Amino acid sequence: MSSGTGNGVIAVYDKQDPNAEDATVLWSWHVWCTEHPTIIELGLPTNGETYSGKNYRIMDRDLGATTNTPDELTTRGLGYQWGRKDPFPASEGWTDQEKMLYTLTGTTNLSYKEVDTSENLVEAIRQPARFLIAITSPGDWYTNSMSLLNRTLWLPNTKTIFDPCPVGWRVPGNQPWTGLLQGGLFYSYGLVHPDAGYFPCTGYRRPQTGRVDSLGNIVEWSAVAGSTSTNECYGLLLNLNTIRQDWTTYWRADGRSVRCVKE
């Protein structure tokens, strides 16, 4: 990592001493220090056919990445549970080994807690570095009740207060990816798409454990929630084995990458 780049989460507490036993986080912010990202214009594909992604502008890196040089560890962004504003770190190296987190008093491990209440939004705000685990359906960190699912934490055309992207950017809907050509140039740890840029193999955090897994796949969250009868949300899968882009659904408790789109 070059000097002056990196990621951190800062918070405001209800006590002057944040280390006090009863200190509570009121709100937190992700601080992302990176070189200025290049904006990629998604226009006409190379075969000359128009597609609905025209005029969308995306970042050249995942949210939290500090460079976009293929196969560099610094190209790996952070993981997000769908609808949460606070990030979770990538693994240590190109492995599933957990990374230690720095705090005001030293280092700590990422913490985990199983979803055991009907609504966990307050818990998520007060514990921004706690991964909320979903063992069974509906597979959501927000709730363990299908009837209480919240599909508005992220929205495809409007930036919400829980959208993790910087000012002027938002989590994309499906439009930037619609009609994206298949293919790309393979590297050891990622794929360079001819239109959309480099995507590293960061894998994702499993909803049942919070642990990093499937480092061979690339999945980007969208802000599109499932229908009122489903418990899943949509993401773009760039599969290195079959060279395709799949518009498919995942549990909201997954920890996956975000590629921001310009508002």
Side-chain angles (χ1 to χ4, degrees), residues 27 83-84 117-127 132 141-143 150 153 161-162:
W27 198 256
R84 292 187 68 174
T117 62
S118 59
E119 194 273 299
N120 294 279
L121 184 59
V122 173
E123 167 82 2
I125 293 172
R126 291 180 176 177
Q127 299 290 339
L132 295 171
W141 64 267
Y142 180 88
T143 180
N150 189 333
L153 294 170
I161 61 171
F162 297 106

Side-chain angles (χ1 to χ4, degrees), residues 73 76-79 88-100 201-205 211-213 215:
L73 286 173
R76 298 178 312 156
L78 303 171
F88 297 96
S91 58
E92 189 71 45
W94 296 106
T95 71
D96 59 1
Q97 180 181 345
E98 286 296 323
K99 180 181 292 186
M100 296 294 292
C201 296
T202 54
Y204 75 108
R205 290 188 177 273
R211 304 292 182 176
V212 176
D213 198 359
L215 290 168

